[in-house]
Amino acid sequence: MLSRIAESLFWIGRYLERADGTARILDVQLQLLLEDPWVDEDTACRALLGVMGSEVPPDTRLDREGVLSLLAVNRQNPASIAYSLNAARENARRAREIVSSELWECLNTTTTRMPRKVASERVHDFFHWVRERTALAVGTNETVMSRDDAYHFFSLGLALERADMTARLLATRALTEVSGPSWTTILRSCGAYEPYLRTYRGVSSMRNAAEFLLVDRIFPRSVLFSMNRAIDSLNALEPRTERIGAVDQALRVLGQAVSSLEYRPISEILVDLPHAMEGVQRATSAASEAVKQRYFPTQVMPTWAGERV
């Protein structure tokens, strides 16, 4: 497969999941800001932008509307929903010979209907719409795409981004000591509340909720499940035949992160949750860079120096 096609499919998966994860995080955080009059809005907004990896304006006072504009509908901000959906569509255009007509039409319709402004009373509806559209795009791909290398590149990008976004969502739990989202709210935002209740038979606790979202082996949005899915995709792309340990850098990084989560007591992770989640984000970023270097390195353009290339 051409590296251009592989890279586009990888980033379609990442951008779709990024739009979905950003919508989930903003839905939770902005609703909390609206409901709690005692929280310092500027501090909470700056912390949220920091967790989302977005540049924080140094002198401008931030509020709910400003964050919504920056992370939801701003087409120039790489961390925004609008940017992610448009980037997914552009990558689909680059890989048009591989991308199905159904997915192409879905992405076209989504970017065309993307609003430039969201009224304050329609914020929740907007995030719900984003989640529906990304679910439709991912589901369309799952039902019509052959399980070949193209599918595994798409799945790899989606899995890495999902691990990263779940880690960011968990990190928002520590944004503010008193008014941060409850574990029930975080579970609901991941669509994990009902599976969690079935798994723990209705026994609710902070430890159980964190354990479910971090290391549950069969819930598809847990960090551990997403990382293992990324490892499965890497193994499918290049089955291992060597007798020694992992030689692929992306596999090595993800394997270390999985081991760190799997064999560390959940009580220790909860004590220092923000730093633990930063570790997950660093691992997914390093794995993404390793995949880029391995499968689609940037072509170095020749530069002229005198008469020599």
Side-chain angles (χ1 to χ4, degrees):
M1 174 185 292
L2 293 174
S3 64
R4 169 180 61 84
I5 302 292
E7 183 176 17
S8 294
L9 290 164
F10 176 80
W11 281 106
I12 292 170
R14 288 209 69 159
Y15 279 125
L16 285 175
E17 188 60 31
R18 186 172 300 177
D20 177 83
T22 303
R24 292 173 185 275
I25 292 172
L26 290 181
D27 198 12
V28 171
Q29 292 297 322
L30 296 183
Q31 187 63 31
L32 286 171
L33 286 177
L34 186 66
E35 293 175 351
D36 189 347
W38 303 107
V39 69
D40 182 351
E41 196 168 354
D42 181 66
T43 303
C45 289
R46 288 180 184 280
L48 177 58
L49 288 178
V51 167
M52 297 303 294
S54 191
E55 186 175 348
V56 181
D59 302 322
T60 307
R61 181 170 176 78
L62 292 173
D63 56 14
R64 185 171 176 267
E65 286 72 23
V67 169
L68 179 65
S69 173
L70 194 63
L71 292 180
V73 295
N74 188 323
R75 285 161 169 75
Q76 309 303 319
N77 181 12
S80 76
I81 294 170
Y83 183 96
S84 297
L85 291 175
N86 190 57
R89 190 254 183 201
E90 283 303 304
N91 277 280
R93 185 180 60 78
R94 292 180 63 203
R96 188 64 189 87
E97 61 268 45
I98 295 292
V99 169
S100 67
S101 297
E102 290 90 341
L103 178 59
W104 175 242
E105 290 169 7
C106 176
L107 292 175
N108 264 334
T109 303
T110 304
T111 52
T112 301
R113 295 179 180 174
M114 181 72 198
R116 295 189 175 275
K117 189 175 181 181
V118 181
S120 57
E121 67 273 15
R122 302 293 304 273
V123 170
H124 178 71
D125 293 340
F126 168 71
F127 292 135
H128 184 71
W129 175 80
V130 172
R131 288 163 54 184
E132 276 190 344
R133 297 305 300 181
T134 53
L136 178 61
V138 173
T140 297
N141 223 33
E142 291 283 341
T143 52
V144 302
M145 204 167 187
S146 299
R147 270 35 178 180
D148 54 9
D149 286 356
Y151 173 81
H152 291 302
F153 275 113
F154 174 84
S155 183
L156 175 60
L158 187 144
L160 286 177
E161 191 67 30
R162 182 168 291 178
D164 180 272
M165 295 307 288
T166 301
R168 289 178 193 272
L169 182 61
L170 289 170
T172 62
R173 177 67 179 84
L175 285 181
T176 51
E177 292 290 336
V178 179
S179 56
S182 67
W183 283 104
T184 299
T185 304
I186 290 179
L187 286 167
R188 288 189 185 281
S189 69
C190 286
Y193 188 61
E194 286 83 7
Y196 166 78
L197 290 180
R198 286 199 300 273
T199 303
Y200 290 90
R201 300 182 187 282
V203 179
S204 178
S205 76
M206 181 176 73
R207 182 186 183 284
N208 290 348
E211 188 176 69
F212 188 72
L213 289 173
L214 279 169
V215 295
D216 190 90
R217 290 181 180 280
I218 59 175
F219 179 64
R221 286 196 171 275
S222 80
V223 175
L224 186 68
F225 183 98
S226 300
M227 285 190 161
N228 280 328
R229 182 178 177 182
I231 290 173
D232 290 343
S233 295
L234 286 169
N235 285 326
L237 286 169
E238 197 161 354
R240 298 170 59 185
T241 56
E242 69 273 12
R243 293 177 57 176
I244 59 176
V247 294
D248 182 87
Q249 180 61 17
L251 274 176
R252 184 180 294 118
V253 170
L254 291 175
Q256 289 172 346
V258 165
S259 298
S260 174
L261 284 175
E262 214 168 8
Y263 297 107
R264 188 178 176 190
I266 194 68
S267 56
E268 285 186 13
I269 298 176
L270 283 174
V271 169
D272 195 16
L273 187 62
H275 287 102
M277 295 304 95
E278 284 180 16
V280 171
Q281 292 168 47
R282 282 196 299 273
T284 56
S285 176
S288 180
E289 181 62 26
V291 168
K292 175 186 171 186
Q293 296 298 330
R294 171 70 182 83
Y295 293 104
F296 25 86
T298 303
Q299 296 294 323
V300 179
M301 298 297 292
T303 56
W304 292 90
E307 295 183 349
R308 295 183 305 170
V309 177

